[in-house]
Structures are given as structure tokens and as C-alpha cells.
Amino acid sequence: MKIEMHPVTIRELIDQYVEDEDTGEVRAYGGKLDVRPKYQREFVYDTKDSEAVIHTVLNGFPLNTMYWVEREDGSYEVLDGQQRTISICRFATNAAYSVRLPDPSGKGYNSVNYPNLFDNQREDFLNYPLQVYFCSGTEKEKMDWFQTINIAGKALKKQEIRNAVYASPWLTDAKSAFSRRNCAAHKQYGKYLSGECLRQDYLETILEWAASRDNITSEDVVSTYMQQHRNDDNADPLWDYCERIFGWVRKTFGNTTRKEMKGLPWGIMYNEHHEDKLDPKDVQNEVDRLMADGEVQSKKGIYEYVLDGKEKHLSLRTFDDADKRTAYEKQQGICPLCHNHFEYEEMAGDHIKPWSKGGKTIPENCQMLCIPCNTGKSNH
Ligand SMILES: [Zn+2]
């Protein structure tokens, strides 16, 4: 990897600046700079960040270094600095693009756009030297560098880095279904998915589920899955899989969505249970019943519980210290199962009648068991 510093003025940068709305392609620097190469993340800068960039430049303060990669054909792509570049170019080329900057008096803000600058301000702006590192090297070197500089700088999400490393037509297709504003995944299944589609959370989730279905075991199962599929023609199978998951969810749990359904590991549940013989009516009645059960503290866990019957999903109510202390004194420290004496700290609160048989977390239903007896009881 060869890295050299070159100052690039804003005048040079904004030369022939174009944003193609259809393809998402953005070019600058006389058409020679690909500002938004395919593997780069979506533009997620907010207005405040853009204003900070313009403010910095207008004051002549230094901006952080940018990285451009030299391509074999002599053109360049932005490796780091996409958002700063776009903010500067939009400000300088779009008269309608205005930013709110603090008034020099210290009182209030002014709305500033490029044509309104004084001549000398505009001249200083155009002559502002950006510190750009020109890098050349192999794809692998670029990607390693991409990860390094982003870890040092702004927090890129893990999936955004994976997208950079495994860029391919397959990935582009997958992103169109899972990672765009108003993508199909968001429109159809957004109520079941947590995170932001734009920041690649949906894509990461579906890839995790698919990797689990395929029994992939590695340190980073998503990367392994992406590596295996990056040369596929398209991501249709991934989308089909997603539709099968949520088709099953709707068939099993009904079409009405509760807020507790957001962000559950639906794909994992589908992988393990879609062949179970379940009566949707029974399942839905059971969910309704548990939702109304005050002993169930984790309502989100109900969906997994009705599939696998494991009470750990439900965070059932436990006895508080006062109830346990009262029971301990009544028992005079004797464990009712093994009849030995224990200190309070050596015992645990237990439901005499278990929750599964209708027992409640009330003082009358509390007994203290020694730890070994309590562990033995919960294993039966
Ligand atoms: Zn005991």
C-alpha cells in the first residue's frame, strides 16, 4: 500500500460535480473522482454534521484528512471522506443549499448559502486546501485500510464494513431489498425487525438467520455467509427465505402485531420450529393468556416460550427479600426437603406451587430451599 499526501483545493474538488439520482453515482474533481463507490455506505450525515463542515472551512480551520484510492485507470474513489466531500460540493454548487451558521457577534444564527458569501469569502472557500491521502494497492489492502481508518474515525457498523469487503452484484441486490429507505423488508416486515435498514441492521439480521439455517460456524458467521454467496447472480433466495419466515410468523401468530414482536429472533425460531405441528388457534390463545399473566415479566419472551416451553424466556416473577426472610424465619432455617439447617444466604426462594401449575408469587406460596435442593427441584 502506497500512501501520499496531496493538498486538493475545493476549487479542484467541485470541478464537474454531479450527483446522478437514478444510479446514486456522485462524481467530482473533474469527473475523475468517484465520491460514492458502490461499496460505500449510504449517505447518513445529518444537517448538523454538514453545517459543522462548512463552518470549519469558512473559518479556515483544518478538516480531518481524507483518503482517496487510485484506480488502475488513473481515476480515484473516496475511501474516507464521502460525507465531507458531498457537504462541501453541495454547498458550493447548489444555490438552494443553505446552512445555519452562528453569527460572528455570538448572538443567534444566520442562514448562509454560497451565492450570498462576500467575494473574498468565496475566494477563500475555493482556495481552501483539503488534506488528501492518495492510496494505491490491492483490493485486500484497500479493504484492510478501510477497516483501520474507520475504526480510528467514525464508528462504522460491523455490517457496513462487511459490505465494503464483500461488495458484489449479489450484495447490491440484497441491499435493494433490505437496506434502502422504503425497501421491501421495511415496508412489509418493519414491525418485526429492529434497528435501521439504512444502517444495514436488517441485512445483518437476515444474514445471521440464513447462516444459522446453513449451520455455519465461524467467528463471524455473517462474513462467512457473504463470502460463500458474493458471486451469486442475485439475492432472490435470501428474499424468498425472508418471506417464508414471516409467512410462517403470520400463519402461526396471526396477522395482528404487538410491539413485543419487534426484534425477536424470528428466523432462528423459524429454522427450529417451522416443521412443528402447531395449531395456530391454540398458539394464539396461549399467547393472549400469557400476555395477561402478571407473573410473566418478559412479554417479549412469550413467543419463544410457546414454541419451546422454556420458562427462562419469560423472566417469571421471583420472591423479594421480605417474603424470603419471612419464610426463612417461619421455617427456622430448616430446608423442608433435606431437613438440614442453613444460613439465609445459603437458601433460595421457591414457589411451593409452581407457576406452571398456577402458583403465584405471593408470601403464602413462598418457601426457602437450600441451593442443592432448589437446583434439584427446578431440574424436575
Ligand atoms: Zn435441602
Side-chain angles (χ1 to χ4, degrees):
M1 188 90 168
K2 212 177 83 202
I3 300 166
E4 282 173 349
M5 232 299 276
H6 292 274
V8 173
T9 63
I10 289 180
R11 189 191 309 277
E12 293 169 308
L13 180 72
I14 64 173
D15 181 29
Q16 298 180 45
Y17 180 74
V18 278
E19 294 182 25
D20 186 324
E21 284 189 7
D22 295 331
T23 62
E25 199 183 355
V26 178
R27 290 206 162 258
Y29 196 58
K32 286 190 304 221
L33 178 66
D34 187 351
V35 181
R36 213 173 179 184
K38 277 212 174 82
Y39 61 76
Q40 280 275 29
R41 58 181 161 154
E42 308 292 322
F43 190 75
V44 288
Y45 234 29
D46 66 19
T47 321
K48 237 179 162 174
D49 291 330
S50 285
E51 287 174 345
V53 169
I54 304 303
H55 191 213
T56 303
V57 174
L58 286 174
N59 280 292
F61 298 151
L63 277 179
N64 284 339
T65 337
M66 300 188 189
Y67 295 88
W68 295 0
V69 175
E70 292 185 50
R71 288 173 171 162
E72 281 176 9
D73 63 1
S75 67
Y76 305 93
E77 63 187 45
V78 173
L79 191 57
D80 189 50
Q82 183 196 123
Q83 289 93 343
R84 277 165 285 161
T85 303
I86 292 178
S87 300
I88 288 167
C89 292
R90 281 188 182 164
F91 180 73
T93 60
N94 182 352
Y97 186 88
S98 63
V99 293
R100 256 165 45 98
L101 299 180
D103 188 87
S105 70
K107 281 183 221 140
Y109 288 85
N110 298 319
S111 177
V112 176
N113 61 3
Y114 186 73
N116 290 349
L117 295 177
F118 293 114
D119 287 349
N120 64 322
Q121 282 181 309
R122 205 175 305 137
E123 207 49 32
D124 288 347
F125 185 84
L126 292 173
N127 291 330
Y128 180 95
L130 299 160
Q131 309 299 316
V132 180
Y133 279 109
F134 287 58
C135 321
S136 53
T138 64
E139 179 120 296
K140 171 83 173 74
E141 285 172 331
K142 283 193 273 181
M143 291 314 168
D144 287 349
W145 187 243
F146 185 73
Q147 298 200 39
T148 310
I149 57 175
N150 273 288
I151 288 159
K154 274 184 306 290
L156 261 193
K157 288 208 172 186
K158 184 117 192 237
Q159 187 58 37
E160 292 171 322
I161 293 175
R162 291 193 194 104
N163 287 359
V165 177
Y166 299 106
S168 71
W170 167 77
L171 179 64
T172 305
D173 194 34
K175 283 171 77 177
S176 72
F178 294 100
S179 313
R180 295 205 190 289
R181 220 176 249 120
N182 290 318
C183 62
H186 181 73
K187 273 192 265 184
Q188 298 185 38
Y189 308 124
K191 284 187 172 157
Y192 301 101
L193 296 163
S194 59
E196 296 170 60
C197 51
L198 221 51
R199 294 302 303 271
Q200 313 302 323
D201 295 324
Y202 291 4
L203 181 64
E204 182 175 48
T205 300
I206 192 80
L207 292 171
E208 276 168 4
W209 295 345
S212 168
R213 175 199 59 191
D214 296 351
N215 296 314
I216 292 174
T217 49
S218 66
E219 206 172 303
D220 180 359
V221 296
V222 172
S223 284
T224 306
Y225 185 91
M226 293 178 81
Q227 196 181 2
Q228 290 174 0
H229 291 274
R230 67 182 301 191
N231 293 322
D232 292 1
D233 294 337
N234 58 58
D236 290 351
L238 204 57
W239 179 249
D240 289 344
Y241 173 56
C242 179
E243 295 208 295
R244 267 182 276 126
I245 292 170
F246 291 108
W248 170 81
V249 170
R250 283 175 178 162
K251 195 184 89 186
T252 309
F253 295 101
N255 284 319
T256 46
T257 49
R258 286 187 167 97
K259 69 175 168 56
E260 286 83 5
M261 296 177 106
K262 199 173 183 65
L264 292 181
W266 294 112
I268 306 297
M269 289 152 76
Y270 169 85
N271 293 345
E272 285 168 16
H273 297 285
H274 73 276
E275 285 177 336
D276 294 0
K277 300 250 175 300
L278 298 168
D279 180 342
K281 220 173 173 168
D282 291 348
V283 169
Q284 287 160 38
N285 286 339
E286 179 74 345
V287 170
D288 290 347
R289 188 180 71 76
L290 293 167
M291 283 287 170
D293 184 338
E295 295 287 318
V296 175
Q297 295 188 100
S298 172
K299 303 295 186 196
K300 274 182 101 75
I302 290 173
Y303 297 93
E304 282 169 281
Y305 172 77
V306 298
L307 294 173
D308 68 16
K310 290 185 183 144
E311 287 181 9
K312 65 171 184 187
H313 300 303
L314 300 175
S315 307
L316 293 170
R317 235 174 243 297
T318 53
F319 292 105
D320 63 19
D321 227 38
D323 289 345
K324 291 196 288 189
R325 194 72 218 176
T326 307
Y328 179 84
E329 294 302 332
K330 259 197 260 173
Q331 294 168 216
Q332 295 184 307
I334 307 293
C335 169
L337 296 189
C338 64
H339 307 292
N340 292 316
H341 180 270
F342 292 91
E343 296 303 319
Y344 177 73
E345 293 74 26
E346 298 169 319
M347 304 185 90
D350 174 64
H351 291 77
I352 300 169
K353 188 179 184 189
W355 168 79
S356 55
K357 301 214 163 63
K360 297 269 184 287
T361 307
I362 48 174
E364 306 84 80
N365 196 31
C366 179
Q367 67 181 354
M368 293 298 277
L369 298 181
C370 73
I371 306 289
C373 286
N374 188 50
T375 313
K377 185 181 169 181
S378 55
N379 286 344
H380 290 106

